Amino acid sequence: MKFSHTLQFNAVPEWTDYYMAYDHLKKLIYQLEKERVEEMSNNPNMDPEKATNFSDEEFHRNNERFIEALDLQLEKVFDFYTEKEAELYAELEQLQIDSESPDFDGELKPSQLEMLDSTHERRRSSAIRAAPKASEAHYVNIASSTNNLSDLNVVDTLARTSTRRSSVSRKSFQSAQSVSTVAYNRLVSFRTRCIGLYVALSELQSFQDLNRKGFDKILKKHDKLLDGNLREIYLKKMVLESRPFMTETRQALEKQIERVEKIYADVFTNGNVNAAVREFRTHLRDHIVYERNTVWKDMIGQERRTMDAHVKDAPKPLFTIPYINIPVTRGLLNSTISFLVAVVAFVVFLNVDIFGSRPENYCFALLIFCAILWATEAVPLYSTAMLIPFLIVLLQVMRNPDGSVMTATNASKAVFQSMFSGTIMMLLGGFALAAALSKYGIAKAFASHVLSRAGTRPHFVLLANMGVACFLSMWISNVATPVLCFSLVQPIIRTLPPGSTFAPCLILGIALASCIGGMTSPISSPQNIITINNMSPSPGWGNWFAVALPVSILSLFITWGILLLVMRPGRTTPALNTVKATKQEVTRSQVFVCFITIATIVLWCAESSLASVFGDAGVIAAIPLFMFFGTGILAKDDLNAFLWSVVVLAQGGSALGNAVNSSGLLQYIAMSIKDGVEHLEPLAILCIFSILILVFATFVSHTVAALIILPIVQQVGLALPTPHPNLLVMGAGLVCSAGMGLPVSGYPNMSAIMMEDPTGKPYLTTNDFLKTGVPASILSTAVIILVGYGIMTAIGY
């Protein structure tokens, strides 16, 4: 929870205006940060690399408004605390005098007064049913005779408690039957004053803590964003020396609270302070639950109303279907039409004999049905994947090695065996590594330290951010990387001058770099998992790195050059703000996560050499899963947060590929294509399939392109006079990540197109992707075909 939310949630509602204005000070810091960057940009003689080292005079001048604002807030807190402290301490002195009154000793003995204390008696089922109404009326009479405002508040709290049939009200009513009305009224009034004073003093203590923490956090933020040391000076000399935050003041307040507990114990609990404290805390908890719950609901309501201002209106129905009166929106209409097209195609191909074999015909109908659903996303991708095992068994498309059709029992076993393999286990291991690196801030710390050294020149800042995005995509997937990187560059974006093209350039650069990063490691994207699943033998991490890293690095620099050429960010923004490195001590948990991560990656890279020990990369993936979950580094919630939709999609794709292969359909299609391309060189065949996949990945999805086309590519490679299945599959698999010409081409692009400025205007448009993403996609594909082909040939593919 952000501290601004913590402050709102824990603040006393009646004192809201007297807490420090944390949000106002934070906005002021952001404004000073922006002005500082503008000053750097307007001063061409200032060295951008050393612009952050301001002199003391410049620092004081640029932060004078912030210090003045701090002084005003500190003065406001000081005045309110001093006034409230004097008021409550005076009330405590009067309470002490009243507790020593002979009236209490003469009229009401402690043994009788214990009947008022809910902690001394258990709730009895025989309590008088009329007690709530009687006690409520009685409290109203007490309230009318009470002059103190705090007493009124506590009486009101107790009245609310009585309406909930609390134990206190029942005991109070019963006590009223055994003592005189005058004495009872005096006793309940005194009890109410004690509880009210205890609650008020406790809230004053909370007022101290929240404001002290607020000043500490706002000064820390100031020093981080503006490279100052104001926290150490101002906090020590001004805040901690102010009366509300002095050690002596805090100790005095604690002693006053102890005095109230002692007074209450002497009168009501026979001197048992622990019992008095339990009683007080019960009332304090009830008071806080009621008051804070109200504040929390109000705050959430305000935030929702604020957020709703940027939410698009709910889609209105286009028309209502006659007779059944069902309203249909555009989205529902498109999904319904796409689904019906898939069903019609499915039924038609089930009844058309194309291949002369029933299993092949039915499997082709299933393939077309799934391809249409995946391409149109009429239903979620993973939902289609869940349906595949059912249809495979129902249609009886699986064959035995001798060509006979499998029984339903054998087919179901074969399907489920194909849905969990070493590749799926490696995917889960990759999720565990990504979750640990993200949860313990390792990825963020690495990224912030690299970006903090990128300087202030737009060209190099853009390249550094793209490099970080590409590198992080290797380990925490190119789905999560853009979200992390977009949060890290906020200090740069919020300080840009109006009309700067650097913000859209930077966001687009991170998205395209994340797409390129999707080809860098076997676990960086779902399409890589599908690629490895179609390669035999598995390439291993070493061979994958040997091909993917040079290709991705060259593609990254080419994309960087295209962004600079098309968007020219340096013309509108000569200098930028810097990203501050996180300053946190390295913990044992972080060291442990890094050790397990490095050890797992080393074992994956050495998989081919250790095949006799581990057998498969999926076995190695069990190491991070056990070590992280077994030691508590990751918890059940982290396991639930895995991208299970991606796992299910990969499993469905594996089942479909197995069915297409078992039915004989894949061999038929591959042989048909082979007859048209067998006279071509492998490079030309790779070029043809790369263009096909690039178009499909750009307009549909990287993962869907891999699911549908890669199995065919593998069989074509096997059917060539000189088989090159792994060469064609890996090359085509890498091209899947190169499709980045549209906002819908991949998860990073989708995240980027949703980024908005403070006014709610999107940073990017589809035209931005067309101008930069399309040429970047074409050139990256050319690099994969040419450079990748050479490397794969060199390693024996």
Side-chain angles (χ1 to χ4, degrees), residues 373-375 377 379-386 645 649 701 703-704 747:
L373 290 183
W374 276 335
E377 293 191 52
V379 295
L381 299 179
Y382 56 85
S383 178
T384 302
M386 292 176 181
S645 59
L649 182 61
S701 166
T703 307
V704 174
Y747 293 109

Side-chain angles (χ1 to χ4, degrees), residues 296-309:
W296 181 251
K297 288 180 179 178
D298 290 344
M299 186 183 72
I300 294 298
Q302 291 174 1
E303 288 192 352
R304 285 176 177 171
R305 287 193 294 271
T306 302
M307 294 301 293
D308 286 346

Side-chain angles (χ1 to χ4, degrees), residues 384-394 412 415-416 419 651-652 655:
T384 302
M386 292 176 181
L387 184 63
I388 290 174
F390 172 79
L391 293 178
I392 289 175
V393 177
L394 189 67
S412 61
V415 168
F416 290 130
M419 292 181 69
Q651 290 177 325

Side-chain angles (χ1 to χ4, degrees), residues 130-144 155 159 162-163 169 173 185:
K133 292 183 179 180
S135 59
E136 184 178 356
H138 193 69
Y139 281 127
V140 172
N141 292 335
I142 295 171
S144 63
V155 169
S162 67
T163 62
S169 58
F173 179 82
N185 286 350

